[in-house]
Amino acid sequence: MRAQAPVWLVMGDSLSAAYGIQASQGWVALLQQRLDARGYRARVINASVSGETTAGGLARLPALLQRHQPEIVLIELGGNDGLRALPIAKLRENLARMAQLTRAADATPVLFKMQIPANYGPFYTGPFASSFAEVAKREKAVLAPFILAPIASDPGGFQSDGIHPTAAAQPKMLDAVWPALEPLARKR
């Protein structure tokens, strides 16, 4: 039996785990606040882990689906696969399996587009970037835009490591994906 408010489960990496900032400042906490402020019934559970790959997320997903019985699963994974130059075929396989498991649990999968720096070369970055749309289309998942798009070219949007977004960047990150997420809230 589902919780009274529909559960939105976030499976992400450091971008969703609010690395280097207070969890309450992260885009996932801001998502809960926005849903509440707009009168949408939802309970957001952040199961994100810094450094997570799609393989790690896939391994953890079945237990999380069983425990939380979500209606929506936001999959913000793949960036660490790309930064480690892991095989594209395995990335696609893991994302597809996560979407399949989510659907089998009667939940809606949402895949977040990811991008990696151009210095990985076009033979890797191109197929990497297209993987998310391809898997989303094949698995009938909702596709959310690249969450870092609004700050990607702004060094001021990142912490001193140049990788993780600042607290001030988090509302922009939420704004980037909100157009894909709000229609899901309206259906509930």
Side-chain angles (χ1 to χ4, degrees):
M1 179 151 192
R2 295 195 189 272
Q4 287 203 336
V7 171
W8 292 37
L9 178 66
V10 181
M11 298 289 299
D13 54 27
S14 59
L15 299 180
S16 296
Y19 179 89
I21 61 174
Q22 295 295 318
S24 61
Q25 297 173 309
W27 79 266
V28 175
L30 298 177
L31 171 62
Q32 180 71 71
Q33 291 173 20
R34 184 171 293 180
L35 290 165
D36 292 345
R38 299 200 178 179
Y40 296 127
R41 290 181 56 250
R43 183 168 60 99
V44 179
I45 295 175
N46 194 350
S48 301
V49 175
S50 290
E52 187 80 281
T53 61
T54 57
L58 176 57
R60 292 187 312 114
L61 183 59
L64 290 165
L65 289 171
Q66 185 174 14
R67 182 179 333 140
H68 299 295
Q69 299 179 3
E71 290 194 15
I72 298 170
V73 178
L74 307 180
I75 304 168
E76 180 274 305
L77 290 171
N80 288 314
D81 298 57
L83 294 175
R84 296 173 188 169
L86 298 176
I88 300 292
K90 194 62 177 169
L91 167 77
R92 290 177 179 159
E93 179 184 320
N94 292 340
L95 290 172
R97 189 70 187 124
M98 290 181 80
Q100 293 162 5
L101 289 170
T102 298
R103 285 217 173 277
D106 199 27
T108 300
V110 180
L111 294 183
F112 283 51
K113 286 184 183 179
M114 287 289 137
Q115 295 178 7
I116 54 172
N119 64 328
Y120 281 78
F123 294 108
Y124 189 81
T125 57
F128 175 87
S130 66
S131 294
F132 301 89
E134 289 171 15
V135 171
K137 182 177 182 180
R138 188 173 65 244
E139 299 301 331
K140 297 176 177 56
V142 174
L143 184 63
F146 180 43
I147 196 165
L148 295 180
I151 62 164
S153 61
D154 175 16
F158 294 90
Q159 298 174 40
S160 60
D161 64 9
I163 298 170
H164 297 100
T166 63
Q170 302 295 315
K172 294 176 186 174
M173 293 165 59
L174 176 57
D175 288 344
V177 297
W178 182 248
L181 302 183
E182 186 177 25
L184 298 172
R186 287 183 181 152
K187 292 180 182 178
R188 302 301 183 263

